[in-house]
Amino acid sequence: IKDESLPIDEQKYEYYGLYTHIEQPNKKFLEVRSLSSNASMYKARDFSFLKNPLIKDIDDPEYSEADFEQVLTIREAENHSKLIELIDAVNNPILGFEELFSTYFNEDNYLTWLGFSLLVGAEDILNHNYIIYSPNNSKTWYFIPWDFDSNMELEPSELIAKSLRSGQKLNMSPLHKKFFKYPGNLEKLTNKMNELKDKYFTEENVRLYTDSYMRVLEKTLPYYPDLAILDKSPDKVI
């Protein structure tokens, strides 16, 4: 990693160890995925689609970027009017679910994000650890998964899998609650989870990935800081 905030003559690459995720969600992140970089993109910090007095547009006299980012980290956005429109629509008791969802969300993206998150035990997706993204020329918002550091953990004393607990929590969000209540949607989610499990989460696919990681691990483990974790069992490495 090279710290480009330093003076040019002090910039140099330093080895920080093997990371599972080092990308920053920014314009380049979008471009390498063939997504429009002219977009609004936020990372949830304490956001569950509820109205929040800290969410204001930049032309509001009481707007504070620091306060705003207690709820959503601003990754890309010229202003926040589009986001505020989305929040108002989700919390509008008169707007029907079909109109809300078809206007502001992509069903396959939502089902894939939610189904994947539940399968890997992403327990904390109620209000953080996900990104919402919308191209400037569209009203549609897309979910991007983020941060999997505590996924797929299960203590022996826990009787309920994390995947189930995260599903129960989601009813605290007006968006997810409306989705679950609409007839047929639970079946759609079940079908999507089965598709992901049978098509992508196969033993063969997982083995292909893990085998490819071994070449990287063999090169990085002899060096610090990776060397410092060699005396720990895999379940103790954070």
Side-chain angles (χ1 to χ4, degrees), residues 98-218:
E98 285 185 322
E99 183 179 354
L100 166 70
F101 215 72
S102 63
T103 302
Y104 295 101
F105 298 98
N106 176 283
E107 183 179 81
D108 188 63
N109 166 260
Y110 177 84
L111 290 171
T112 302
W113 166 76
L114 182 55
F116 170 79
S117 298
L118 294 174
L119 282 172
V120 300
E123 189 184 25
D124 48 5
I125 58 170
L126 170 65
N127 62 341
H128 67 293
N129 281 347
Y130 64 88
I131 290 169
I132 52 173
Y133 152 82
S134 179
N136 284 350
N137 61 352
S138 170
K139 281 193 171 186
T140 304
W141 289 83
Y142 299 86
F143 286 84
I144 300 174
W146 196 261
D147 195 345
F148 306 102
D149 59 338
S150 62
N151 293 3
M152 294 181 279
E153 294 179 358
L154 185 63
E155 296 297 328
S157 60
E158 294 178 330
L159 299 179
I160 302 176
K162 286 194 172 184
S163 58
L164 295 178
R165 294 207 307 273
S166 58
Q168 293 169 345
K169 284 182 178 181
L170 290 173
N171 273 317
M172 298 168 64
S173 163
L175 171 63
H176 306 315
K177 186 175 183 178
K178 288 181 178 182
F179 173 83
F180 289 136
K181 287 179 66 176
Y182 194 78
N185 278 353
L186 284 178
E187 183 179 358
K188 287 182 179 180
L189 179 59
T190 300
N191 292 339
K192 175 58 71 173
M193 292 176 73
N194 285 330
E195 176 192 344
L196 294 172
K197 179 171 62 68
D198 297 338
K199 189 174 181 179
Y200 300 101
F201 283 85
T202 65
E203 182 176 351
E204 180 182 2
N205 283 342
V206 171
R207 189 176 299 281
L208 284 172
Y209 278 110
T210 54
D211 286 350
S212 69
Y213 299 155
M214 288 302 298
R215 295 192 297 272
V216 179
L217 287 169
E218 288 170 351

Side-chain angles (χ1 to χ4, degrees), residues 58-91:
I58 57 175
D59 58 359
D60 190 309
E62 297 182 357
Y63 172 74
S64 164
E65 183 174 317
D67 288 344
F68 186 104
E69 290 202 320
Q70 292 182 41
V71 185
L72 286 162
T73 300
I74 305 164
R75 301 306 311 185
E76 298 293 337
E78 296 176 358
N79 59 64
H80 310 306
S81 59
K82 192 174 185 178
L83 173 71
I84 292 170
E85 177 186 339
L86 170 69
I87 296 171
D88 288 343
V90 170
N91 289 276

